[in-house]
């Protein structure tokens, strides 16, 4: 398994942003206002990723009082990290598409002011998720062995 590349996340975010923007251009006037805290679910997942990252890092580094990490556990954590970073990139792109649409539409639609706040909350929570997921992925790396010549 290879580590997540920023270009992969950027590509997913751009595609999601374009699709969200297109959807809003076609149907914004028929949609209900977006929930203000819709992005908070991403923040909850980011918190789980952070806690898991710190816990696994201590165990991988074999700090006193911690149990060693089983290889399957580390592989599952990396899979969670990769999925979380991709979700964060997709949702970040989608929220960016919302922001790009509602910023100029604020005077045209009453709901656009409300949706602007939702978009900002969503994009910040998505960015937190991407950061936490990349941190979790980093925490699952096997440390360099200083005793090996290399």
């Amino acid at each position: 398994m290879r580590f997540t590349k920023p270009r992969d996340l950027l590509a997913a975010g751009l595609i999601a942003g374009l699709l969200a923007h297109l959807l809003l251009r076609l149907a914004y006037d028929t949609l209900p206002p977006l929930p203000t805290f819709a992005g908070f679910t991403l923040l909850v997942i980011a918190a789980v990723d952070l806690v898991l990252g710190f816990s696994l890092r201590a165990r991988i580094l074999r700090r006193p009082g911690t149990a060693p990490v089983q290889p399957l556990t580390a592989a599952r954590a990396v899979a969670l990290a990769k999925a979380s970073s991709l979700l964060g990139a997709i949702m970040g792109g989608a929220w960016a598409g919302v922001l790009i649409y509602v910023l100029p539409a604020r005077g045209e639609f009453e709901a656009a002011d409300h949706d602007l706040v939702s978009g900002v909350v969503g994009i910040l929570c998505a960015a937190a998720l991407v950061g936490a997921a990349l941190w979790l992925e980093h925490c699952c790396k096997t440390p360099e062995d200083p005793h090996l010549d290399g």
Side-chain angles (χ1 to χ4, degrees):
M1 197 180 294
R2 63 182 174 89
F3 287 100
T4 303
K5 294 195 178 346
R7 72 168 187 244
D8 297 340
L9 298 178
L10 185 61
L14 283 173
I15 291 169
L18 288 172
L19 290 174
H21 186 75
L22 179 64
L23 174 71
L24 291 175
R25 287 181 66 95
L26 295 174
Y28 187 72
D29 56 346
T30 63
L31 296 174
L34 297 170
T36 303
F37 301 110
F40 268 16
T41 305
L42 304 174
L43 197 59
V44 171
I45 299 169
V48 170
D49 284 357
L50 274 177
V51 170
L52 186 58
F54 282 113
S55 172
L56 282 175
R57 191 70 186 152
R59 292 173 60 193
I60 288 171
L61 294 175
R62 299 195 180 211
R63 294 207 171 114
T66 61
V69 176
Q70 298 297 321
L72 187 56
T73 301
R76 287 178 178 159
V78 170
L80 172 65
K82 291 179 87 53
S84 293
S85 64
L86 185 59
L87 172 64
I90 290 170
M91 292 307 299
W95 285 114
V98 169
L99 286 175
I100 290 169
Y101 183 80
V102 299
L103 275 171
R106 289 185 310 180
E108 187 178 342
F109 296 104
E110 192 175 307
D113 284 331
H114 179 270
D115 292 346
L116 178 67
V117 175
S118 302
V120 170
V121 168
I123 204 163
L124 291 175
C125 292
L129 178 57
V130 170
L134 293 175
W135 169 250
L136 174 58
E137 190 173 334
H138 170 77
C139 288
C140 292
K141 286 184 183 179
T142 306
E144 299 279 332
D145 190 349
H147 303 293
L148 292 177
D149 293 326

